Amino acid sequence: MSNFTHLECSKCGHKHDADKVQTVCTECGKPLFARYDLEAIKDAVSPKDFVGREASMWRYWELLPVKDEANKVSLGEGWTPLIHVERLGKSIGLPDLWIKDEGIIPTGTFKARGLAMAVSKAKELGIEKLALPSAGNAAGSMTAYGARAGMESYVFMPMDAPDVNKIECQIVGAKVFLVNGLITDAGKMVADGVPEMGWFPLSTLKEPYRVEGKKTMGIEVAEQFDWSLPDVIVYPTGGGTGIIGMWKVFDELEELGWIGSERPRMVSVQASGCAPIPKAYAEGKEESEFWQGAETLAAGLRVPHALGDFLVLNAARESGGSALSVTDEEIMDCVGQIAREEGLFICPEGAATFAALKHIIEDGEVDKDERVVLFNTGSGLKYTSLFEVDAPVFNVGEKIDYKSL
Ligand SMILES: *Cc1c(COP(=O)(O)O)cnc(C)c1O
Ligand SMILES: [Zn+2]
C-alpha cells in the first residue's frame, strides 16, 4: 500500500500522472512535487511507530514515493547524527547550536539521499539507463546507486571537475566522459543523447524524486528533537533540493498533526563567487538571474542558476529567514575552526553555514537562547585536494628534542 497519489507542479499546480516517467511540468517547465494521501498516512502511522525502525531515511516509508519495497535501492543512507556542538556554540555565544552531520552518509555527501530515492523510483518505473551532467557529488551518488541497482550510468563532467568525483564514478563502473567545456555544455550533451540512448536524466529538480529523498533530513531533525523544530536552520544552497525538500515536508508533517504551525527561519547560504539566490533575495525578486563566471571552491554551491530558485526564495521569505553569501576565505577558516573545536572535518559547503551564522548573529538576527541547526552536507575527506600537508619531517636516527614539539 502506497500513499503516493500524484505529481503536482510546484508553480502552477498542474497535476501529472505518477505512474509515468515525468521530468518537469508539461505546462510551465517548473519542478514537480510528489503528493500523498495524508489522511491515509495519518491512519497508517504515528510518530511513535518510527521508534526502533531501521536507521536510515527509509524509516519514513509511508511518506515516500516508492510503492513496492522490492524497488528500494539502498546503501543505508540517512538517520545521520544531530550533534550538539557546545564548544563551537560557546565561541559565538550560542549554547544551543547543532550540526546535522551528513558527512558520514554513503558516498560522503547528502546527495546520496536524493539519488537513492531517484534511482529507486527509476527502477520502479522500469528505467535501465541513467545519465547526468555533473561537476561533482551528484554523479558519485547516482553512479553508486546505479551500480547497486544494476543499471548503466553515463556521466558527463567538465574536465576541471574534482578527481575524487571522476574516480568514484569510474570505480563503480559508470561510463565517465570529460567535457572540454562548462557544466552547461555537459548538460546539452546529455540532453542531445536522450532520444537515441533512452537515458533517464537525473538533473537537479528536473525529475521529481531527489527532493523526496532530501526532505527526509527535515523529518529526521523533527524526530531527533522529539517532534519539534529548531528556531533557525542554516543550509548551504546549490540547486536548492535540500532546503526545498525540508520546506515541503514541514507542511506535510503539520498536516499530519505531527508538528505545529511554527517553522524554523530558513537561511540559505551561497558563496560570494556564485550567489544568485542572495542577490535575488536582496533585490526583492522572485527568481534569480544566471550568475556569470561562477567561482568557489565549495563546488556544491557552484550553481549559477537553479530551476527551483523561486522555491528557495519563498522558503527564506515565508519563514522570516534570509539568504546571504560568504567568501571562500571565511569558508576555509570555518572548516578549520569546526575541525579543531569539535573534531568534525566537514566539507566547505557545510562550513559556509557557520560562516553565515556568524554574520546573522552580528546583524542581530539570532537571539542567544535560540536553537540553531547547521547542515553539514558532506565529508571533508572528499576535499583533501584543497589542503596541504604541513608537518615537520624527522630523519631516521635523528635525535628528537621532544619538549620542543
Ligand atoms: C550539491 C551539494 C550542495 C547543495 O545542495 P542542494 O540541496 O542541491 O542545494 C551542498 N553541499 C554539498 C556537499 C553538495 O554536494
Ligand atoms: Zn506548472
Side-chain angles (χ1 to χ4, degrees):
M1 238 288 291
S2 169
N3 307 302
F4 174 36
T5 53
H6 63 278
L7 292 165
E8 188 181 271
C9 177
S10 59
K11 181 91 180 177
C12 77
H14 189 76
K15 288 186 179 177
H16 295 68
D17 183 351
D19 291 324
K20 294 208 181 96
V21 176
Q22 304 281 359
T23 56
V24 290
C25 178
T26 52
E27 300 293 308
C28 75
K30 296 295 183 190
L32 298 176
F33 275 171
R35 296 297 184 200
Y36 299 83
D37 180 348
L38 293 165
E39 285 304 314
I41 297 176
K42 219 187 235 178
D43 291 341
V45 65
S46 71
K48 64 178 180 340
D49 296 325
F50 297 118
V51 177
R53 284 201 183 174
E54 71 171 283
S56 81
M57 68 175 190
W58 299 95
R59 67 201 277 108
Y60 307 115
W61 180 256
E62 288 85 351
L63 286 83
L64 303 178
V66 178
K67 297 188 173 181
D68 182 347
E69 195 151 5
N71 295 320
K72 174 175 123 181
V73 182
S74 174
L75 294 164
E77 53 291 331
W79 200 243
T80 53
L82 181 56
I83 302 170
H84 190 191
V85 283
E86 283 178 273
R87 188 171 302 140
L88 196 66
K90 260 188 209 133
S91 76
I92 52 168
L94 200 74
D96 207 2
L97 179 64
W98 301 71
I99 291 182
K100 178 76 170 155
D101 187 16
E102 298 284 305
I104 61 153
I105 214 164
T107 72
T109 75
F110 76 148
K111 289 284 191 304
R113 291 185 193 256
L115 284 146
M117 194 62 67
V119 171
S120 297
K121 261 327 266 189
K123 184 175 173 194
E124 190 151 82
L125 293 165
I127 289 159
E128 286 165 3
K129 291 180 188 170
L130 309 171
L132 189 69
S134 169
N137 295 322
S141 296
M142 183 193 81
T143 55
Y145 290 98
R148 178 86 170 144
M151 297 180 190
E152 266 180 42
S153 295
Y154 294 77
V155 179
F156 288 72
M157 289 183 150
M159 286 207 338
D160 60 4
D163 278 355
V164 64
N165 297 121
K166 295 171 191 159
I167 291 164
E168 65 178 341
C169 295
Q170 196 174 299
I171 197 76
V172 297
K175 296 205 160 87
V176 181
F177 305 96
L178 302 182
V179 179
N180 192 359
L182 303 173
I183 180 72
T184 38
D185 301 310
K188 190 170 181 313
M189 286 181 196
V190 170
D192 289 349
V194 166
E196 208 168 314
M197 296 298 289
W199 288 331
F200 184 61
L202 287 171
S203 301
T204 305
L205 291 169
K206 290 192 177 158
E207 63 74 55
Y209 302 110
R210 285 173 61 180
V211 167
E212 293 303 293
K214 287 221 183 146
K215 83 176 183 184
T216 59
M217 294 187 294
I219 320 178
E220 282 178 29
V221 168
E223 187 181 357
Q224 286 170 319
F225 284 139
D226 200 18
W227 302 98
S228 72
L229 296 174
D231 298 302
V232 179
I233 285 180
V234 191
Y235 186 87
T237 309
T241 38
I243 202 166
I244 292 167
M246 286 195 282
W247 192 243
K248 173 180 185 285
V249 86
F250 292 154
D251 284 347
E252 292 171 358
L253 296 179
E254 184 186 350
E255 268 193 65
L256 289 166
W258 298 356
I259 60 168
S261 60
E262 278 173 30
R263 293 288 182 277
R265 305 199 296 282
M266 306 296 280
V267 178
S268 164
V269 183
Q270 294 196 309
S272 52
C274 180
I277 289 178
K279 180 167 185 278
Y281 180 85
E283 292 170 350
K285 298 205 172 119
E286 266 173 50
E287 295 189 6
S288 64
E289 286 159 40
F290 187 92
W291 187 277
Q292 299 292 343
E295 212 183 315
T296 167
L297 46 79
L301 309 185
R302 211 186 296 135
V303 179
H305 185 251
L307 189 62
D309 54 359
F310 68 101
L311 296 166
V312 177
L313 287 160
N314 177 56
R317 289 195 179 113
E318 236 182 72
S319 67
S322 62
L324 72 159
S325 64
V326 294
T327 66
D328 279 6
E329 203 186 344
E330 289 175 285
I331 290 174
M332 293 311 278
D333 283 349
C334 287
V335 169
Q337 187 186 348
I338 296 163
R340 287 190 307 273
E341 294 186 2
E342 298 290 350
L344 286 166
F345 183 11
I346 76 175
C347 64
E349 293 87 342
T353 63
F354 186 58
L357 178 61
K358 290 181 180 180
H359 286 290
I360 58 176
I361 287 178
E362 244 166 60
D363 296 346
E365 286 178 45
V366 182
D367 287 336
K368 299 291 179 200
D369 60 349
E370 288 193 299
R371 172 168 285 178
V372 177
V373 173
L374 307 177
F375 267 82
N376 171 40
T377 45
S379 170
L381 295 175
K382 280 191 107 169
Y383 294 79
T384 54
S385 64
L386 300 178
F387 300 87
E388 272 171 33
V389 177
D390 175 19
V393 176
F394 291 126
N395 296 313
V396 177
E398 187 179 329
K399 185 159 166 34
I400 299 172
D401 177 6
Y402 287 97
K403 286 248 166 71
S404 76
L405 303 181

